[in-house]
Amino acid sequence: MENLNSPKTSSSSSLFDELPKERCWGGREFYNWEGFWYRSDFLSAAISTRSYFKARDDDVILASSVKTGTTWLKALIPSIMHRKQDNNNDDSDPLIKNHPNSLVPSFELQIFRENPKADLSGMPSPRLFRTHMPYMMLPDSVKESGCRIVYITREPKDAFVSLWHFITANTRPEQGLCTLDEAFENYCEGIHAFGPFHDHVLSYWKESLKSPEKILFLKYEELKRDPKCQVQKLASFLGRPFVDEEEIDKIIWRCSFERLKNLEVNKNGTDPNAGFSYKSYFRKGSVGDWKNFLSEEMKERLDNITQMKLEGSGLNL
């Protein structure tokens, strides 16, 4: 299978020839489609998703911009949804033998990248999916059905630092490393996978205000600060409320960063769809790590962009 670290444009279509293009983040090519930046393979799969995916009312979709705490939710959501099936038996815990990526398949990195006209009608319900697509890129069937969307975001300075480390960890020497300064400039300009970050966040935030029963909007920092409250909220939204605190504590422990990072399945190997090393998904999982990497000038610049972008929205990051 082609490694996503080696992106290329589609020579069989004139689509990419007509779109604005930028080369950055270590020589990776990004194309602008309807205001957002995509790798060519991601964009092709996203367009196929919008065209061919048919949502069910009991589908659950995990959505996010990149590097905002998604991996934690990839563990939490399946653990919550299927906990009655395994009766909290550690021997049948899927996280022991599966990286969280395997439990929640991606529309654009996996399903519709492998098969642009994928037929998912045979999948048993409830189906779990994930995506980095902005809200406006989602299929009409998702927007019009009763399916639920869980969106998670994060303080943008931490999201940037996490993304830079992730890309660096998955870049081969011959590809050419992207310096922190170069990456920061691109990030501030909104040029990164599924960027701009702020526009992505706002696309789901505004819809969550209109339809809170359909979109649960979570913040990584709140999940870290009060996991019991946030996990309870998540379980109730998914229609799987907890009956006692012992259940909540069990799920929180199972899906904790420390446990996941130390499971053998997450220490070795590479994601067969994305080409990223499994261990690179578990670096620190902390809040405020940006302070170790960004200068005061960089902090002020990104804070100003955040303030300007979110002004009047009611959202604080």
Side-chain angles (χ1 to χ4, degrees):
M1 177 174 292
E2 177 189 340
N3 190 319
L4 289 188
N5 281 323
S6 302
K8 61 181 180 180
T9 58
S10 173
S11 58
S12 62
S13 172
S14 62
L15 169 64
F16 297 107
D17 295 333
E18 301 169 357
L19 296 178
K21 180 177 75 172
E22 293 287 345
R23 183 183 290 271
C24 51
W25 292 86
R28 293 167 173 82
E29 291 181 341
F30 294 90
Y31 295 83
N32 193 285
W33 175 271
E34 297 179 348
F36 287 86
W37 293 93
Y38 301 81
R39 294 257 299 275
S40 61
D41 38 15
F42 296 162
L43 178 55
S44 295
I47 292 173
S48 293
T49 303
R50 186 157 72 173
S51 299
Y52 295 104
F53 178 71
K54 303 301 179 185
R56 298 175 187 165
D57 288 342
D58 57 357
D59 285 342
V60 174
I61 299 173
L62 168 59
S64 66
S65 183
V66 290
K67 306 311 296 176
T68 59
T70 320
T71 302
W72 197 358
L73 269 294
K74 291 178 220 168
L76 279 169
I77 291 175
S79 296
I80 291 170
M81 294 291 289
H82 302 307
R83 71 183 187 277
K84 291 182 181 178
Q85 297 177 11
D86 61 28
N87 197 30
N88 283 334
N89 185 346
D90 286 341
D91 292 337
S92 59
D93 178 7
L95 291 169
I96 294 177
K97 296 182 179 180
N98 298 277
H99 187 279
N101 283 7
S102 304
L103 302 179
V104 188
S106 166
F107 286 138
E108 64 275 4
L109 271 71
Q110 180 180 353
I111 299 172
F112 287 93
R113 181 177 175 274
E114 295 176 347
N115 182 357
K117 296 183 180 181
D119 180 2
L120 305 178
S121 60
M123 286 184 66
S125 292
R127 303 181 303 181
L128 308 182
F129 303 105
R130 58 185 161 97
T131 185
H132 286 314
M133 293 186 290
Y135 182 82
M136 54 283 290
M137 190 65 169
L138 295 178
D140 288 341
S141 67
V142 170
K143 300 172 184 176
E144 296 167 0
S145 71
C147 77
R148 283 163 287 193
I149 299 172
V150 178
Y151 187 83
I152 186 166
T153 192
R154 188 180 193 179
E155 204 285 331
K157 296 189 295 296
D158 271 338
F160 161 70
V161 168
S162 181
L163 176 60
W164 179 69
H165 278 286
F166 186 78
I167 294 297
T168 300
N170 288 286
T171 299
R172 299 185 300 273
E174 65 270 19
Q175 289 179 285
L177 293 176
C178 181
T179 68
L180 180 70
D181 289 342
E182 291 171 333
F184 184 76
E185 186 66 30
N186 295 142
Y187 196 81
C188 288
E189 293 177 357
I191 307 173
H192 58 86
F194 306 98
F197 171 86
H198 300 88
D199 295 347
H200 195 290
V201 174
L202 284 172
S203 73
Y204 283 92
W205 169 250
K206 292 176 180 177
E207 293 301 325
S208 74
L209 296 179
K210 297 176 187 176
S211 306
E213 75 288 347
K214 183 177 181 63
I215 302 179
L216 177 64
F217 193 95
L218 299 175
K219 296 179 182 178
Y220 181 76
E221 292 77 14
E222 293 178 352
L223 192 56
K224 289 283 289 185
R225 183 168 56 249
D226 191 354
K228 186 170 291 189
C229 176
Q230 296 298 310
V231 170
Q232 177 69 279
K233 181 195 297 185
L234 173 62
S236 297
F237 176 77
L238 295 173
R240 302 288 198 280
F242 292 102
V243 296
D244 57 56
E245 289 198 9
E246 185 178 351
E247 267 195 313
I248 305 177
D249 292 338
K250 182 74 171 180
I251 293 293
I252 291 174
W253 171 78
R254 273 191 174 184
C255 303
S256 65
F257 178 86
E258 291 75 15
R259 179 178 185 251
L260 293 177
K261 184 174 183 177
N262 288 296
L263 289 175
E264 286 301 318
V265 69
N266 299 324
K267 289 182 178 180
N268 304 291
T270 300
D271 185 300
N273 302 296
F276 299 134
S277 68
Y278 281 145
K279 66 180 181 180
S280 64
Y281 287 86
F282 302 94
R283 191 179 68 89
K284 280 191 175 181
S286 61
V287 173
D289 187 44
W290 64 265
K291 297 175 184 176
N292 298 314
F293 298 93
L294 303 187
S295 66
E296 183 63 25
E297 181 180 358
M298 297 166 84
K299 169 196 177 298
E300 291 183 3
R301 181 179 177 189
L302 192 45
D303 281 349
N304 287 338
I305 293 173
T306 299
Q307 182 179 359
M308 178 187 67
K309 286 279 192 176
L310 302 187
E311 185 176 7
S313 69
L315 175 63
N316 294 308
L317 293 179

